Amino acid sequence: MSTQCEAFEPRLGTLADGELGEDAAREVKAHLLACPECAGRLDAIRSLGDAIREQAPRYRAPDSLRASLRASIHGAAALSAGMDESPEVPSVPGIESPPGRLPSTERSSDEPRVVPIGPGLRIVPRRWLAAAAAVAVLLAGAGRVAWIAGEASARNDVQAEEVLASHVRSLIGTHLTDVASTDQHTVKPWFDGRLDFAPPVYDLADQGFPLAGGRLDYIGGHPAAAMVYARRKHWINLFVWPVDGATQSAPAWQARRGYHMAQWDAGGMRHWAVSDVNEGELQTFVHLLREREPTTAGSVSDAR
Ligand SMILES: [Zn+2]
């Protein structure tokens, strides 16, 4: 890269963002006309930006978080307004304020009042500092909550994609089941010795979801049991694998590319049910399973 190019390079990103001043932009553009290398760099920056805008997942903060944040800010504002009633004199350590110029005696205005007390020294009324600090803490907290939620949600998203891919794969090939049987007493023991956990296998034929068999699968780096159930001419894959420290959770529902999916934890195991049956039918199926499932990790093996 020439010295000239090196000087222009840091400004390419700013130009791509449309944030370069008019004169500087003109200068960079003139260079771009003469320098295919820098023009190429700008193209790369732009396509990266486009790719991120198009493909990066975005998470909207839930309404409940917005509401509680708003309430907290109002609460903090009320609290700091209350603090203003304090007769205590606001002070900066080591700095003497001239008498009669203290903000606590000047409460009429809502504007942040800055009191000059000497060359370069100012007192910002304490209530404003308190309110600003409270808001900063709340925003930092909310950002963290949103980030954690986003992180968990992204992980869940990856898992959902894997589960869906596995479901679809099981249907397009000839590998829907490793053991084809409508009998839970055939399917359940088949998993023995093939997995180090005992997946739940139920007979739901009377409820309209006959068992079709079982299959070994692999999701997110875990060996998983896939139980296959039929619903009219549709298939439901139920994926199960043990998760350390899994707590009981109600099913979380989602639709992806025409499939319905439910995910929940029970009995120390992660469960995913996926199918192209309608949502109501999948809900019935999940409900039937959950009625039969043990709720603790211990009782899974007891139930065998
Ligand atoms: Zn250049």
Side-chain angles (χ1 to χ4, degrees):
M1 204 189 296
S2 76
T3 336
Q4 205 191 2
C5 292
E6 266 172 31
F8 280 114
E9 202 200 5
R11 284 188 269 172
L12 295 177
T14 324
L15 179 70
D17 292 339
E19 285 165 4
L20 204 57
E22 215 173 292
D23 290 346
R26 202 175 301 123
E27 201 186 331
V28 175
K29 281 175 186 166
H31 175 74
L32 288 172
L33 286 174
C35 176
E37 264 183 64
C38 283
R41 280 184 204 111
L42 181 64
D43 279 349
I45 291 170
R46 284 191 170 135
S47 17
L48 177 64
D50 288 347
I52 291 171
R53 269 186 294 280
E54 282 162 24
Q55 287 163 34
R58 281 156 204 255
Y59 306 106
R60 189 178 185 279
D63 289 341
S64 58
L65 176 62
R66 289 162 188 270
S68 71
L69 185 58
R70 204 166 284 136
S72 309
I73 291 173
H74 285 156
L79 195 67
S80 56
M83 285 166 68
D84 191 37
E85 300 305 312
S86 156
E88 220 178 290
V89 170
S91 66
V92 173
I95 295 169
E96 284 213 5
S97 310
R101 300 293 309 276
L102 298 174
S104 59
T105 62
E106 299 171 328
R107 285 179 206 144
S108 52
S109 169
D110 279 328
E111 290 302 309
R113 193 175 293 271
V114 174
V115 183
I117 57 168
L121 297 173
R122 300 181 307 179
I123 293 178
V124 176
R126 198 183 52 159
R127 69 180 168 126
W128 285 102
L129 292 179
V135 169
V137 166
L138 285 165
L139 289 177
R144 186 162 166 71
V145 168
W147 184 81
I148 292 170
E151 185 79 345
S153 153
R155 259 202 312 275
N156 196 270
D157 217 47
V158 169
Q159 200 165 87
E161 279 300 323
E162 268 195 78
V163 166
L164 180 54
S166 193
H167 173 74
V168 172
R169 211 163 39 234
S170 76
L171 300 180
I172 57 179
T174 50
H175 193 192
L176 181 59
T177 54
D178 288 321
V179 52
S181 171
T182 57
D183 183 1
Q184 59 173 324
H185 302 294
T186 303
V187 175
K188 205 170 172 55
W190 181 86
F191 283 111
D192 285 350
R194 292 179 169 89
L195 290 171
D196 59 359
F197 61 96
V201 183
Y202 301 108
D203 179 4
L204 300 174
D206 290 348
Q207 288 77 26
F209 298 93
L211 183 64
R215 183 179 78 248
L216 287 182
D217 218 307
Y218 205 76
I219 309 269
H222 309 271
M227 276 66 71
V228 181
Y229 291 84
R231 176 66 170 181
R232 301 191 315 273
K233 294 191 169 164
H234 303 266
W235 301 106
I236 301 173
N237 261 296
L238 172 68
F239 298 92
V240 176
W241 66 92
V243 172
D244 278 341
T247 46
Q248 301 295 118
S249 67
W253 297 91
Q254 57 178 293
R256 274 174 195 263
R257 299 199 285 281
Y259 296 91
H260 289 107
M261 309 180 73
Q263 182 258 305
W264 71 100
D265 289 344
M269 302 207 204
R270 171 71 34 93
H271 297 62
W272 278 95
V274 52
S275 180
D276 63 343
V277 296
N278 70 47
E279 194 175 2
E281 286 178 306
L282 192 63
Q283 277 172 354
T284 306
F285 173 75
V286 169
H287 179 73
L288 290 166
L289 284 176
R290 285 170 58 80
E291 271 181 346
R292 287 162 176 75
E293 278 190 333
T295 51
T296 63
S299 49
V300 171
S301 35
D302 295 348
R304 294 178 65 184

